Amino acid sequence: MNSIAKLSRVALAVALSVGVATTAVAQETSSGIRGNITGPQGAADAGAKITILHVPSGTVRETTVGQSGQFSLSGLRVGGPYQIIIDSDRFEDTIVEEVYLTLGEPYTVDLALQAEQDVENIVVTGRALSGMAFNERGPSANFGAAELQNAPAINRNITDIIRLDPRVYVDESAGDQNSIRCAGKSPRFNSFTLDGVRVNDSFGLNENGYPTERMPFPFDAIEQVAVELAPFDVMYGGFTACNINAVTKSGTNEFHGSAFYDYTSDSFRGDSLEGEDVNLGEYSEKRMGFTVGGPLIEDKLFFFAAYEKLEGANLFDRGPIGSGAVDEINITQAELDEIVSIANNLYQYDPGQIPSSLDNEDEKLLVKLDWNINTQHRMSLTYNYNDGNNFTESDGDNDEFEFQNHLYERGAELESWVGVLYSDWTDKFTTEVRIGYLDLQNRQNSVGGTDFGEIRVETDDVDVYLGGDDSRQSNVLGYDLFNVSLRGFYYMDNGHELTFGYEREALDVYNLFVQHSETEIRFDGIENFRNGFADSIYYNNAPSQNPEDAAADWGYALNTVYVQDDFDYDDFTFMVGLRYDWYTSSDEPAENPDFVADYGFSNTATLDGEGLIQPRLGLTYSLTDDTTLRGGVGLYSGGNPNVWLSNSFSANNVLQFGQRGRSFGYTDGSRSLFDDDVVYEGLEDGVPNGPGYGVPKELYDAVASGVGDNFEINYLDPNFDIPSEWKLSLGVTHIFPDNYLFTADLLVSRLQDQAIILRGDLEQIGTTDEGYPQYDSVREPSFVLTNSDTDSTSYMLSFGVAKQYDNGVDFTAGYAYSDAEDVQPMTSSVAISNYTNRAFFDPQEQVSSTSNYNIRHRFTATLNYETNFFAEYATRFSLFGALSEGQPYSYAFDGTGSEPYVFDPYLDYVENIMEPGAERNEHYGSWWGKLDLRISQELPGFAEGHSASAFFVVDNLTNLINDDWGILEQVDFPNTVGPGDRAESRVGDASLYEIRVGIEYRF
């Protein structure tokens, strides 16, 4: 036999390139091989037998060439190497060797068999794709073993990898959160899948998009990861921003594995910024883990396991004036000492110290089994576990200051299972059956417990917080997700490949969220705090005074059917499909009779019965051997956080009620919380009798009788439509002389029926001379989750270039321009926060403006070099650089009170009202640039086939070189700036360099 294969220059260059984002890959866990087999004169070699051999595991798949000369096999493991064996009765038998497969991207073989006497001994060998997929119809990036192993991934998180794509911005301003913004869109509209099971934040609380505090599976378990912004395969769903798709490694016929350990501490962290020394808390952080895989039964049954553990610390780099903290807040140590003294002596509460660091942990385990049942059937089963926590600030802006007991622990425990059965029923018909289950138990616990409520002391420039955070006093979340997927693939003799399927994803949620169940008390100044004169008092609870009775227990199922045809016509490859999603649910919010009487309809609307048809069209055109064009159009939906729906189940003035101190004379300066006639209820055993520990009796009794004040009903618009987004993509890949690979993509999207929050009770009664509308509340106070009547159009244009040299050097460079818009940024979990945490001229307006999440200009580049300084032991250098324009923001003022809208729509003391003529987010923040570096040195192992390496990673190398460089200045949440305020503040955590050192062993 001889080996011969024909690849276009574009395909070959892509296969050898590194790190440039280009084309799309499907939302799958596998790959495939398709091809066209002819004889010397171009006639189809119908009936030739095709054998696909996965060399590491001995897995064999077989099919035959159809009448048109084409064949296709799907459901293959990613990676390789594979052999493609063509057994012909008429022509020379041929083997294509060293084939490596990319996630979801079919490997195409265009092979002309020849008579034996004419054969040239040509061998084309491949390698694992280290940068890109090829020959699909939409912008994406695919990252394989090279990036995962060698990129400066200091967080051991795929965010460290996918940020290489300039269209993906990872926000590094919030510690471990690392939220992912694709094409200028909210991270809440992303979707994340692992081995085909959705492991994104299905409830919508976390900025990082994960259901857990960090990536919920071991970093070394990943085989490949892809980011898809506009794929046109109908199997995609559940997102409108981007889909992040990862598959895990599998065992083979040889035992293999790895172990690692890395370490960092305050000694490996920068200690000066812009010429000034900064004080860091003492801490150390270590991570360790291992992988192991191999055969249980050779050629038949395989296992793979990965474990990872972190023992680290959360740093709190804020302090008063003169403290030398990384971020100094505009309050003196004397003022803080006075507040602590009052809290201890008068309120009998210790607020804790000024936080510096708190220990955290994270533990992950993944186990996978692969079973070659026979040549027609293959099964895999994956189990994943993660439990980890962080300690975080809830009020951490630069005009706020928290004592340690006001911090809270964020944590989550996750378990997931997924089983997949791949079956070849005939040469033409293949099926895939997938069943998955995920269980998530979320924790949000105040560091100081919940015996004492939240107290806010408002000084001239800074609000000081002590006690248990108001949103964590009664906060429990758990949900489980069950999904089933039935897919079929039928390959016709005429070259058409049909894809069809049914999927169902059922979500069940338990959400206990009662703010102020232990009270929140605000004081205007330290003296009022000393004397007990409150500015505001809030208390919420169920009438039974047991918050658990106010929990929302609900769920729904998302059902999907789809059909698609893939076919070639001349030099075109077409993908035409149709997808239909619809919701079913038997759960409804409790009906509020007062709401029905005022509004004339019920507050019990759900998504039950809502559906959306999503057409898709993608195409690829081979213009020349050096140039490929691609494009497509499709409709997408999904990614909307379910927490917005959950508010309708819990905030309906039936399960829980809220009361205010103003209704009982507590906030007009006539009553002190220390007056003898103030009676406190709801005291827990053993606590002092007083404010913070107890609830004033009048508020307590009112809630018990089901009477509420300042507690807006949340409801879903009965005419709510599923939000959706049209995406249009055009792209080109071209190979210049000397194999410089160039890509360009244009992505245009139009968001329609987008979800927004409005007041449901307001009617306009007039207009001010400046044009501000004036409102009156004419119905039961409410917030409605509804659709915007205004569409938003967004544009993204991106370019990339890559080159690999023979001397061990390779580089990529990319640029993306983004102009993304929305009507409301929808930054938060609760309705009032979504309504107030934005800039507007009219709080009820529907104006499409620049999105809070838009990063207008972004440049990225990688430079890699591998050489052998020491015999056969490789030394690798990997440098990553990014330069991004800052976040957009608006100038606004605080309109809390009756101005300028007459009715106070409870704007909650946020600077959010724009001056006449201003546009939301018309200003942009400062540019931020930095370099990250990884250097590794191979070392000898203990046995043949083993290897070791030592490495170190520098995050923000620019700051290590010069403490004036790599400084991140960023506008505070919610991207609004008050009159006379500084637009941006320094983010110390992201600005300081950090070094990690480690060792790794592979066998």
Side-chain angles (χ1 to χ4, degrees), residues 893-960:
F893 63 91
D894 178 2
T896 302
S898 61
E899 296 295 338
Y901 304 115
V902 178
F903 171 74
D904 178 1
Y906 309 127
L907 300 185
D908 203 34
Y909 302 94
V910 178
E911 291 163 329
N912 50 19
I913 302 175
M914 296 187 297
E915 298 286 353
E919 295 183 9
R920 178 166 64 94
N921 289 333
E922 62 182 329
H923 306 281
Y924 274 87
S926 305
W927 286 73
W928 184 45
K930 71 163 189 169
L931 298 171
D932 297 338
L933 174 69
R934 187 182 195 273
I935 300 177
S936 66
Q937 175 61 57
E938 281 189 345
L939 303 169
F942 296 119
E944 185 177 353
H946 293 212
S947 67
S949 65
F951 62 87
F952 70 88
V953 182
V954 184
D955 182 62
N956 206 342
L957 175 68
T958 33
N959 178 251
L960 175 62

Side-chain angles (χ1 to χ4, degrees), residues 485-676:
S485 172
L486 308 174
R487 295 175 178 174
F489 307 89
Y490 186 76
Y491 198 81
M492 304 174 69
D493 282 340
N494 60 7
H496 288 256
E497 184 171 3
L498 301 180
T499 300
F500 45 90
Y502 167 77
E503 298 181 9
R504 178 180 174 87
E505 184 173 271
L507 175 70
D508 287 310
V509 176
Y510 176 85
N511 180 34
L512 169 61
F513 182 64
V514 182
Q515 291 178 298
H516 314 130
S517 63
E518 297 288 336
T519 71
E520 177 191 351
I521 308 174
R522 300 179 185 179
F523 295 95
D524 185 7
I526 296 176
E527 282 306 305
N528 282 331
F529 177 47
R530 185 194 313 278
N531 295 320
F533 290 110
D535 187 50
S536 299
I537 304 176
Y538 300 84
Y539 173 61
N540 289 34
N541 215 327
S544 66
Q545 307 293 355
N546 180 0
E548 293 183 5
D549 292 336
D553 193 351
W554 62 283
Y556 67 79
L558 176 60
N559 306 273
T560 302
V561 292
Y562 48 76
V563 62
Q564 178 174 279
D565 184 15
D566 288 81
F567 61 94
D568 295 332
Y569 181 78
D570 289 337
D571 291 326
F572 288 91
T573 299
F574 289 90
M575 176 186 290
V576 183
L578 197 65
R579 176 188 178 99
Y580 178 62
D581 293 342
W582 77 97
Y583 291 83
T584 55
S585 177
S586 59
D587 297 324
E588 292 183 348
E591 186 173 81
N592 185 305
D594 294 334
F595 179 92
V596 176
D598 267 6
Y599 286 78
F601 57 86
S602 178
N603 61 297
T604 60
T606 67
L607 292 180
D608 184 47
E610 292 295 322
L612 182 69
I613 297 175
Q614 300 161 66
R616 309 278 175 85
L617 169 66
L619 61 90
T620 302
Y621 174 59
S622 298
L623 182 64
T624 68
D625 284 346
D626 294 330
T627 307
T628 297
L629 306 178
R630 56 185 174 275
V633 62
L635 187 63
Y636 301 80
S637 181
N640 293 349
N642 290 301
V643 63
W644 300 340
L645 296 174
S646 191
N647 291 331
S648 300
F649 287 84
S650 57
N652 48 42
N653 276 3
V654 176
L655 299 180
Q656 60 171 296
F657 295 88
Q659 271 297 344
R660 296 284 297 271
R662 66 185 183 184
S663 300
F664 304 97
Y666 279 102
T667 62
D668 59 6
S670 63
R671 302 185 70 182
S672 167
L673 295 176
F674 298 123
D675 286 348
D676 292 338

Side-chain angles (χ1 to χ4, degrees), residues 703-744:
V703 167
S705 63
V707 177
D709 178 30
N710 188 34
F711 189 72
E712 297 83 9
I713 293 174
N714 287 199
Y715 72 96
L716 178 68
D717 186 341
N719 298 313
F720 188 83
D721 294 319
I722 299 173
S724 60
E725 184 166 327
W726 284 99
K727 293 176 182 281
L728 170 68
S729 174
L730 299 172
V732 60
T733 300
H734 178 73
I735 307 300
F736 284 100
D738 295 324
N739 289 329
Y740 284 87
L741 175 67
F742 172 80
T743 67

Side-chain angles (χ1 to χ4, degrees), residues 739-751:
N739 289 329
Y740 284 87
L741 175 67
F742 172 80
T743 67
D745 283 283
L746 171 66
L747 176 62
V748 181
S749 62
R750 188 164 183 84
L751 181 59

Side-chain angles (χ1 to χ4, degrees), residues 52 56 226 263 271 291 313 344 392 488 499 646 686 764 776 790 899 934 941:
I52 308 296
Y263 175 84
D271 57 6
T291 68
N344 278 291
T392 190
T499 300
S646 191
Q764 187 171 348
D776 187 21
T790 301
E899 296 295 338
R934 187 182 195 273

